[in-house]
Amino acid sequence: MSRYIAVDIGGSRMRAAYYTAEGIVPIRIKRISTRTLDHKKTALTHLEGLILSLIPQDIEIRAISVSVPGLVNPNSGTVLNAPSYPEWRNFPMQKFLSDRFNTPVIVGNDANMAALGEWNYGAGRGHHNLIYVTVSTGIGSGIIVDDHLLLGEQGLAAEIGHIPVMSDVTICSCGKKGHLEAIASGPAIAKWMQNQLARGKKSSLTFDQCDETKRIARAADEGDPLSIAAFERAGKAIGKVLASILHMFNPSAIIIGGGVSRSGPFLLEPLHKAISEHVFHLEYVRKLTLSSSVLGDDVGLVGALTLARSQYPP
Ligand SMILES: [Zn+2]
C-alpha cells in the first residue's frame, strides 16, 4: 500500500498533499501562507513541519516529491536559485529532506512539474509534444518532446521567461534586460499600466489600483482600453516567443496556466494571433490546440505526484 506526499512551493504559499497509489484526489491536503509565517523559523522549518503534519503514523511513505519555484538541478535535487526563498541558493534540498524523513525525495522545477501534471491528467492528455506556460509573478514553462519531459544537461531547460525579446529594455527579475518575463508577467503588466498613467494616458483605474492583474482584467472586461492594451502587449510578446518554440519543438498543444492566464481572451487572443503571425509556415499551427490549464491551482501537486509515481512505482 504505497503512499505519496507531493509538495507545491509557491512564491507566497506552500501546499502539501497525501495520496494513495491511484488517482489525483488527495486523502489530505494542507497549506500555509509564507506571507504570514513566523519569521523566527526559516522557510525550511515550515516546509519540514508541513510535510511532517501529513505523514501518518505506522504508514510508510514511498516518496516525497517537491515542486520548487526556481532553478533546480533535478539530477542532484539541488535548488540553485529560488527568488522567493533567497536562503535556498545552492541548497541540497533532496539530500536534506531524504535524510530528515528517511524516504526517497524528488525535487523539481515548478513549471516542469506542472507540464507533467497537465500532460498526464489535464489539458495535455493524448499529446506527445506540448508546451505548458505559466504566466504569473514570473513566466515559466515545461516542454514535453516525443513523450519525454525536456530537461537538458543540468535540468535547466525550458526557461521561456528569460528569452530575450529585444524590443524592450525593461529589467527582468533576473537582472538582465528585455526578457519575456519583464514584459509579460503579472508585475510587468501592472508596471506598464502605471508607466502609461504616469505619462498621462487615461484609464478607469488609478495608479494605485494597477498593482493587481486581477483588477486590470476586471477593468479590461468593463471595456477600459488601456487595460485591454496592457494584456494585448503581454499576449503579443508571449505569442512571439511561442512561435519560436513551435519552430524548435513542433508541439501539438500549448497549455497556458498561472494567475494572469485567468484574464482569459484579453491575453489569449492576442497571444494566438501573434503565434500565427510569426510562424514561418502555417503547418505549425494547423493541428495546434491552445488551451487553459485544466488542473488550475492543483497543477503543481499533481505534477509532483506524477513524477513520484513514475520514479517510485507503487
Ligand atoms: Zn530574466
Side-chain angles (χ1 to χ4, degrees):
M1 196 169 55
S2 296
R3 297 283 190 259
Y4 297 89
I5 287 181
V7 184
D8 179 26
I9 301 176
S12 58
R13 65 177 188 175
M14 294 180 188
R15 296 166 83 222
Y18 170 57
Y19 296 91
T20 62
E22 287 174 356
I24 57 168
V25 179
I27 301 171
R28 284 179 71 201
I29 184 162
K30 278 193 127 182
R31 72 202 75 204
I32 50 173
S33 164
T34 51
R35 281 200 184 120
T36 54
L37 287 182
D38 170 0
H39 289 292
K40 285 178 194 148
K41 294 185 193 169
T42 62
L44 194 61
T45 313
H46 287 284
L47 175 62
E48 271 184 88
L50 182 64
I51 295 172
L52 198 61
S53 70
L54 280 176
I55 295 182
Q57 277 185 340
D58 307 324
I59 291 183
E60 197 192 328
I61 297 295
R62 183 82 177 94
I64 298 170
S65 182
V66 187
S67 161
V68 177
L71 271 187
V72 176
N73 183 327
N75 306 319
S76 62
T78 303
V79 179
L80 302 177
N81 179 38
S84 307
Y85 302 92
E87 67 270 38
W88 291 348
R89 189 172 286 266
N90 294 319
F91 173 60
M93 184 178 276
Q94 182 179 314
K95 184 177 182 333
F96 176 87
L97 292 176
S98 64
D99 288 350
R100 170 69 182 80
F101 294 105
N102 197 24
T103 303
V105 172
I106 299 163
V107 180
N109 167 268
D110 56 353
N112 282 348
M113 293 278 202
L116 286 173
E118 287 291 341
W119 181 35
N120 283 278
Y121 294 100
R125 273 180 300 181
H127 289 273
H128 305 289
N129 296 278
L130 68 83
I131 172 159
Y132 170 85
V133 182
T134 170
V135 188
S136 178
T137 313
I139 295 182
S141 69
I143 299 174
I144 307 291
V145 189
D146 297 335
D147 287 321
H148 284 91
L149 177 69
L150 178 76
L151 286 173
E153 185 66 26
Q154 292 134 292
L156 310 182
E159 285 293 341
I160 189 180
H162 302 283
I163 289 180
V165 180
M166 303 303 277
S167 60
D168 203 308
V169 292
T170 312
I171 307 280
C172 183
S173 63
C174 69
K176 306 279 181 183
K177 282 181 182 172
H179 288 178
L180 180 62
E181 184 168 302
I183 293 159
S185 65
I189 291 169
K191 202 171 158 198
W192 184 83
M193 281 288 286
Q194 291 180 328
N195 283 342
Q196 296 301 306
L197 288 175
R199 285 181 193 169
K201 290 271 172 66
K202 296 278 175 278
S203 166
S204 60
L205 297 176
T206 64
F207 188 92
D208 290 339
Q209 287 173 331
C210 292
D211 60 344
E212 269 186 48
T213 41
K214 218 187 288 174
R215 228 175 207 174
I216 303 171
R218 214 178 304 139
D221 206 25
E222 288 160 3
D224 178 46
L226 197 65
S227 300
I228 293 170
F231 284 110
E232 193 176 349
R233 176 176 174 272
K236 268 186 183 170
I238 298 169
K240 190 175 174 184
V241 168
L242 282 173
S244 299
I245 301 288
L246 297 193
H247 294 149
M248 294 288 282
F249 302 108
N250 184 206
S252 57
I254 294 176
I255 304 160
I256 312 279
V260 179
S261 69
R262 289 185 201 126
S263 56
F266 298 110
L267 184 80
L268 297 185
E269 277 175 15
L271 185 157
H272 202 174
K273 208 170 148 213
I275 291 175
S276 299
E277 272 172 20
H278 289 283
V279 287
F280 86 97
H281 197 291
L282 289 176
E283 193 62 14
Y284 284 97
V285 291
R286 195 168 61 85
K287 288 184 177 172
L288 183 73
T289 62
L290 177 71
S291 54
S292 298
S293 159
V294 165
L295 299 173
D297 269 358
D298 291 335
V299 70
L301 284 177
V302 173
L305 172 70
T306 305
L307 195 58
R309 283 190 188 139
S310 71
Q311 287 194 10
Y312 299 94

